[in-house]
Amino acid sequence: MTGSGAVARQSGTCQSVGVWSENPWQREVLMVWMNRFGYPVVAVDTAGLLAGATRVVVVGAGDRLALRRFGRSMAGRVIVVGGTVEKADIRSGVHHVTEGPDIDHRLNLLLTRALGPTSGRTPMSAREREILTTYVMGATVEETATRHFVAASTVRTHYRRVSARYDDAGLPVANKTHLLLRMVADGWIQLDGVLPESEPAASAVEVA
């Protein structure tokens, strides 16, 4: 991590999300997770963190005790994700995004408020893209679940989470046809002249 603060100051932008952890493994996990939201992600060391290398810094709940060493200048800039955090463990103004099925959605809202909307396409994990491409290209929820060896509820969860990200970006998704168009526009799906397997409008309310 030596010198990572300098790297962050050079490569980060006003929309960068900094990731800080004393644990290298947790730092890598957090960076992979934050990449899903579409903002540039940089690792910062303690010096870079205190120097304000990025506008927002994400810290895992496991580092909560280390947060006590930071002063008031960190208020409003640090986001603690996951786990449970006692009030005594963090200073006033530090955001805590608790565990829950909608943690990605709540974290995305917080990042959007702090950094503004992303300049690129709406983020999507490789697994979300894989499953939702099958679904929006004409398969039913059940067919998609069978093809990817997941539960039908998992397909619905991916659909709702990705749709919520588009909604947050001002690109509402009312049904799977809309999601297909959004994914094509963002380059997540390359049609190459291939049409959906069936009329998508026929299952527009399938996941409701």
Side-chain angles (χ1 to χ4, degrees):
M1 282 297 290
T2 302
S4 60
V7 172
R9 285 190 291 274
Q10 292 171 2
S11 62
T13 69
C14 63
Q15 282 195 312
S16 291
V17 175
V19 170
W20 178 87
S21 177
E22 293 182 331
N23 183 312
W25 180 84
Q26 185 177 49
R27 183 171 60 249
E28 293 302 316
V29 170
L30 285 173
M31 291 188 72
V32 170
W33 186 9
M34 294 307 107
N35 271 317
R36 299 174 61 180
F37 299 100
Y39 297 97
V41 178
V42 294
V44 295
D45 58 14
T46 302
L49 178 65
L50 296 176
T54 58
R55 189 182 301 175
V56 171
V57 178
V58 175
V59 179
D63 284 311
R64 61 185 182 273
L65 295 179
L67 290 173
R68 294 179 179 178
R69 70 173 76 158
F70 304 138
R72 293 181 180 178
S73 62
M74 300 306 301
R77 290 184 51 222
V78 174
I79 301 174
V80 180
V81 293
T84 57
V85 178
E86 299 294 334
K87 290 183 178 179
D89 290 336
I90 59 175
R91 294 183 179 274
S92 176
V94 173
H95 304 284
H96 179 214
V97 183
T98 56
E99 297 282 358
D102 62 340
I103 186 172
D104 277 6
H105 178 59
R106 288 181 283 119
L107 181 55
N108 186 52
L109 287 177
L110 196 55
L111 292 173
T112 301
R113 289 194 202 104
L115 303 173
T118 58
S119 56
R121 60 187 177 181
T122 296
M124 197 175 304
S125 70
R127 188 58 168 163
E128 288 170 338
R129 178 187 181 186
E130 179 185 12
I131 290 174
L132 291 177
T133 294
T134 298
Y135 176 59
V136 301
M137 289 296 289
T140 65
V141 168
E142 289 72 21
E143 289 168 346
T144 302
T146 299
R147 191 173 304 179
H148 295 283
F149 305 101
V150 298
S153 60
T154 300
V155 178
R156 294 187 175 95
T157 296
H158 285 323
Y159 175 89
R160 291 191 177 105
R161 285 180 178 172
V162 171
S163 295
R165 287 180 211 146
Y166 278 107
D167 289 343
D168 293 342
L171 301 169
V173 171
N175 50 51
K176 66 190 292 185
T177 305
H178 284 174
L179 183 56
L180 170 62
L181 295 175
R182 302 299 187 206
M183 291 176 69
V184 170
D186 271 351
W188 291 121
I189 295 177
Q190 300 293 331
L191 291 180
D192 295 328
V194 179
L195 296 176
E197 298 172 8
S198 62
E199 291 294 331
S203 18
V205 297
E206 190 174 333
V207 298

